[in-house]
Amino acid sequence: MLPTPLLDLATQVLDRAKARGVMIATAESCTGGLIAGCLTEIAGSSAVVERGFVTYSNEAKTEMLGVPAETIASVGAVSEEVARAMAEGALERSRAGLTVAVTGVAGPGGGSAEKPVGLVHFGCAMDGGETVHRREVFPGDRSAVREATVRTALEMLLGRL
C-alpha cells in the first residue's frame, strides 16, 4: 500500500494531465517502477499514463532509452547527463508528451564520496519544452530514499503541467 500523500499527489498529476490532454511516461532506475506504480494505483490512470520504462541496468538504459553507453562510461549512470538522456529517450520512444526520469543510489550500499547513498538525479522532458534537471540527496534508508524520489518525481511532473 502506497502512502496516502503520494497517492494524493499522483491524483493531482493525473487530473491536471487529463485536463490538458497530456500523456505521461516514466523512465526509472533506482525506483524500479514505483513512480509508474503510484500513478497507476489511481483508477482511470490509463487515460494519462502511456508507459513506464524500468531501466535498472546500464544496458537497459542504452537499449530501451538510447542513453549513449559512452555517456554512462564517462560520467556514470547516476548523473545529470544520464537523467536528462533518460527523460529525452522516454519522450522519443513513447507517445507521451511529458516524461520523468530518475537515476540514483538508493542504498544501503553502492555509495561513494562523490555519489553518496541518497543521491538522485531527475530529468523531466516535455514536447516543445526544455528538459529540466534536479539533484537531491535524500536522508534515510533505502525505502525512505525511494519514497522521497517518487514524491519529488511527481512534484516535477505537476510543476510541468
Side-chain angles (χ1 to χ4, degrees):
M1 184 72 176
L2 293 162
T4 300
L6 284 184
L7 295 176
D8 290 345
L9 190 54
T11 299
Q12 291 177 52
V13 169
L14 294 170
D15 289 347
R16 193 169 298 172
K18 187 174 181 181
R20 295 182 186 215
V22 176
M23 297 294 286
I24 294 172
T26 65
E28 303 181 58
S29 187
C30 60
T31 49
L34 289 174
I35 300 164
C38 189
L39 289 167
T40 58
E41 182 71 17
I42 310 300
S45 59
S46 60
V48 171
V49 179
E50 203 276 327
R51 71 184 72 190
F53 297 91
V54 177
T55 56
Y56 211 68
S57 71
N58 292 341
E59 293 78 12
K61 289 173 184 66
T62 298
E63 292 169 11
M64 294 175 71
L65 298 171
V67 177
E70 305 78 37
T71 301
I72 296 171
S74 67
V75 296
V78 180
S79 62
E80 175 178 351
E81 294 86 346
V82 169
R84 286 177 179 274
M86 288 173 66
E88 291 166 0
L91 197 60
E92 292 168 10
R93 289 168 158 77
S94 72
R95 293 181 196 92
L98 176 63
T99 65
V100 68
V102 297
T103 181
V105 184
S112 67
E114 61 180 41
K115 295 185 181 184
V117 169
L119 172 64
V120 181
H121 285 275
F122 299 81
C124 190
M126 187 170 202
D127 272 341
E130 222 177 289
T131 300
V132 297
H133 166 261
R134 186 165 167 181
R135 177 190 184 276
E136 296 288 344
V137 180
F138 298 115
D141 63 9
R142 183 176 182 83
S143 292
V145 169
R146 287 164 45 108
E147 185 176 323
T149 301
V150 172
R151 183 187 68 247
T152 301
L154 293 172
E155 289 170 350
M156 286 184 79
L157 289 170
L158 195 58
R160 293 302 293 268
L161 290 164

